[in-house]
Amino acid sequence: MYRILVILLTSLCLPSIGMAKDSCATKDECIEMRNWDLGVAVGWGQKTNPLRDFDDIPVFFIPSVAYYGEHWFFDNGNVGYNLIEQNDFSLNLVTSYSLDRAYFYRWDPSNIFLTRSTQEQANFKTANSLSSEPDPVFNSLESRNFTMLGGAEAFVYTQLGTIRLAYTHDMFNVHNGSEAQIKWTYVWHPNRWVIDLSLVFDWKSENVVDYYYSVRPSENAYWSEQYQADSGWNQGAEVTARYILTDNWDLLLAVRYTQIADEIAASPLLDEDYSSTYFVGAAYRF
């Protein structure tokens, strides 16, 4: 309970910035069907990078592009198809992209829709050190390639919030891994504010963890044998606070905190067991 409380008090997510048109069923929360929803948030933010010797990732703008038809939809690079739509339940087929690659590449889609440095030579501890293990310093890292995940998501709508359950698998045989998510979201509207609070649990299979966080022999021969990947659950919390100025303009304050799974944090590629993101700015919906 203490960990959950700490996560809750220290986090917020990068927002979904589209505001609903007046003809939407729920003002300020939905996207009008059969119309493109375009927006951009501009401001200042930063995403911490848990990778050793990698720079934190600045966040200056967040584009939003979405289209929802009767069944098909497109939302910030992801494509989906609605199978079931009821008042208290919906089921979709969806695609998504992994958040893990974003730590390695500044312009990964996960860093857009919201400068790394590597050392070329390994250094070793001196003879006076209490440990004979070499420092976790690496040659240039091999590529961690982009891939799309495909699977299904279900939403359960209750008076106490919305629950999202999702399971996806690598579609292009990059790592042949799977991911799952359990996410609870609650929204409330004090006056002109719209505040979203979420608790998130992300599961990553052993193949996903191994592909992104294991050390390859060319990167460091010693540490490639020491770390053995395993599946694990990331835990996080997200809060977005929007103040509605006009039909097109919002002010934004957003924060996200992720407690990285112990199985991932044990990788010598990481020197932190968490990642946090904040963003302060304004959003315009076209």
Side-chain angles (χ1 to χ4, degrees):
M1 287 300 296
Y2 174 75
R3 173 175 287 189
I4 295 298
L5 181 61
V6 170
I7 291 173
L8 184 61
L9 294 177
T10 58
S11 47
L12 291 170
C13 69
L14 292 183
S16 172
I17 66 174
M19 291 198 325
K21 295 181 183 292
D22 289 343
S23 58
C24 257
T26 307
K27 184 174 175 59
D28 303 321
E29 288 186 68
C30 60
I31 296 174
E32 189 175 18
M33 290 181 60
R34 300 184 181 87
N35 275 327
W36 283 97
D37 190 86
L38 307 175
V40 62
V42 180
W44 173 260
Q46 190 173 70
K47 177 179 180 179
T48 63
N49 197 332
L51 292 179
R52 190 181 303 274
D53 300 322
F54 277 60
D55 294 332
D56 291 341
I57 301 163
V59 182
F60 301 119
F61 68 96
I62 308 168
S64 178
V65 182
Y67 179 88
Y68 282 78
E70 185 175 354
H71 292 287
W72 290 98
F73 60 88
F74 174 88
D75 197 331
N76 288 337
N78 296 321
V79 179
Y81 184 83
N82 177 250
L83 296 174
I84 300 173
E85 185 68 44
Q86 299 178 356
N87 290 333
D88 57 357
F89 178 80
S90 64
L91 179 65
N92 304 319
L93 299 178
V94 292
T95 66
S96 63
Y97 36 81
S98 174
L99 300 179
D100 299 279
R101 186 178 180 272
Y103 297 132
F104 295 87
Y105 298 98
R106 168 68 180 88
W107 296 109
D108 184 85
S110 297
N111 291 328
I112 297 175
F113 290 109
L114 194 151
T115 314
R116 80 181 207 184
S117 61
T118 56
Q119 296 182 356
E120 300 297 328
Q121 241 178 341
N123 297 318
F124 296 90
K125 295 186 178 180
T126 65
N128 293 328
S129 173
L130 296 178
S131 172
S132 61
E133 288 187 338
D135 284 337
V137 181
F138 308 97
N139 300 321
S140 295
L141 299 188
E142 296 182 13
S143 296
R144 270 66 171 173
N145 295 322
F146 177 81
T147 190
M148 293 292 293
L149 307 174
E153 65 177 3
F155 291 92
V156 181
Y157 309 104
T158 74
Q159 293 183 345
L160 297 178
T162 300
I163 299 172
R164 180 182 187 262
L165 305 172
Y167 180 87
T168 55
H169 185 79
D170 179 15
M171 298 171 62
F172 299 111
N173 298 323
V174 171
H175 51 62
N176 289 309
S178 301
E179 298 189 16
Q181 184 182 84
I182 302 172
K183 182 176 183 178
W184 169 81
T185 302
Y186 186 79
V187 183
W188 68 96
H189 309 266
N191 297 320
R192 298 182 66 86
W193 289 91
V194 180
I195 301 175
D196 297 64
L197 169 66
S198 297
L199 297 178
V200 188
F201 301 89
D202 286 313
W203 175 80
K204 300 176 186 298
S205 71
E206 180 179 333
N207 283 356
V208 173
V209 177
D210 180 66
Y211 182 77
Y212 289 108
Y213 300 107
S214 286
V215 180
R216 284 75 182 281
S218 66
E219 297 167 350
N220 187 307
Y222 174 85
W223 286 107
S224 68
E225 298 179 356
Q226 298 304 307
Y227 173 71
Q228 301 298 319
D230 198 1
S231 61
W233 286 89
N234 289 347
Q235 306 169 51
E238 308 172 349
V239 182
T240 302
R242 294 190 292 132
Y243 183 78
I244 301 170
L245 293 174
T246 69
D247 287 343
N248 298 96
W249 282 100
D250 290 352
L251 295 180
L252 295 178
L253 172 63
V255 175
R256 169 191 294 159
Y257 180 90
T258 300
Q259 184 67 45
I260 298 172
D262 292 342
E263 294 82 0
I264 298 174
S267 168
L269 291 179
L270 275 66
D271 60 3
E272 299 286 355
D273 65 354
Y274 73 93
S275 177
S276 62
T277 302
Y278 72 88
F279 182 83
V280 179
Y284 182 80
R285 181 177 183 270
F286 297 94

